[in-house]
Amino acid sequence: MVRSFTAAPLTAADVGVAFPLIRAALPGIDLEAWRSFARGVVDQPSPYPAGGVGLRNEAGYLCGVLTYRIDRDLRHGTALNVDLFAALDVTGEEAATRALLQAAEEKARELRCSAVRVSLDGPPELAAGRFSTVGYHAKSTVFCKAVGPPPAAA
């Protein structure tokens, strides 16, 4: 069976519906944290340096979400950084992953970016096969450490 997907800008109406996908990709994120974050990426005027894309399957169900920001990259010039990538479809993640990556590439072209960089949480081996079959490869390692809020001004 050939799958069909439709990508569209993520809207405020999609935020609550998208939460199960967000939770699957980032189990430690609660609904309030997602809503707070999403306020900064949905319904932004185009071209805005940050945004979101929702992916729906042929039945109209949201099965993928990505959020992006535009950044400068020493190697590629302007790059579309995908900071949140979640694709899950009842018939399997591979087709939804491919469609969401295609949506990211289309958004990159629309915003005149010359590269797409996708950050994933969790072991990279889980996504390596699905990403490499469409031309993506591991480029760098990102280390992260949470730091407390800045000290209060005296």
Side-chain angles (χ1 to χ4, degrees):
M1 175 172 135
V2 175
R3 303 301 317 263
S4 69
F5 298 94
T6 304
L10 197 63
T11 67
D14 295 327
V15 172
V17 177
F19 183 64
L21 290 168
I22 304 312
R23 191 65 185 244
L26 302 168
I29 300 298
D30 64 21
L31 180 58
E32 188 51 40
W34 163 240
R35 282 187 173 147
S36 177
F37 174 80
R39 278 193 288 274
V41 296
V42 299
D43 295 329
Q44 296 294 346
S46 187
Y48 191 75
V53 174
L55 184 73
R56 294 188 182 276
N57 63 18
E58 59 272 354
Y61 295 108
L62 193 66
C63 60
V65 173
L66 66 80
T67 63
Y68 64 86
R69 61 188 161 80
I70 300 171
D71 236 346
R72 298 281 302 149
D73 180 276
L74 181 59
R75 290 176 296 267
H76 302 289
T78 305
L80 186 84
N81 285 332
V82 175
D83 296 316
L84 170 65
F85 186 96
L88 185 60
D89 194 45
V90 293
T91 60
E93 293 178 34
E94 190 169 332
T97 297
R98 252 188 258 133
L100 197 55
L101 287 170
Q102 183 178 349
E105 292 169 20
E106 289 169 10
K107 180 56 73 175
R109 283 189 284 277
E110 174 188 327
L111 296 173
R112 300 184 166 284
C113 296
S114 57
V116 175
R117 297 187 306 206
V118 180
S119 296
L120 298 172
D121 277 25
E125 308 81 47
L126 296 177
R130 286 181 275 145
F131 277 65
S132 65
T133 60
V134 291
Y136 286 78
H137 59 279
K139 192 74 168 178
S140 64
T141 301
V142 176
F143 293 94
C144 181
K145 177 183 178 182
V147 296

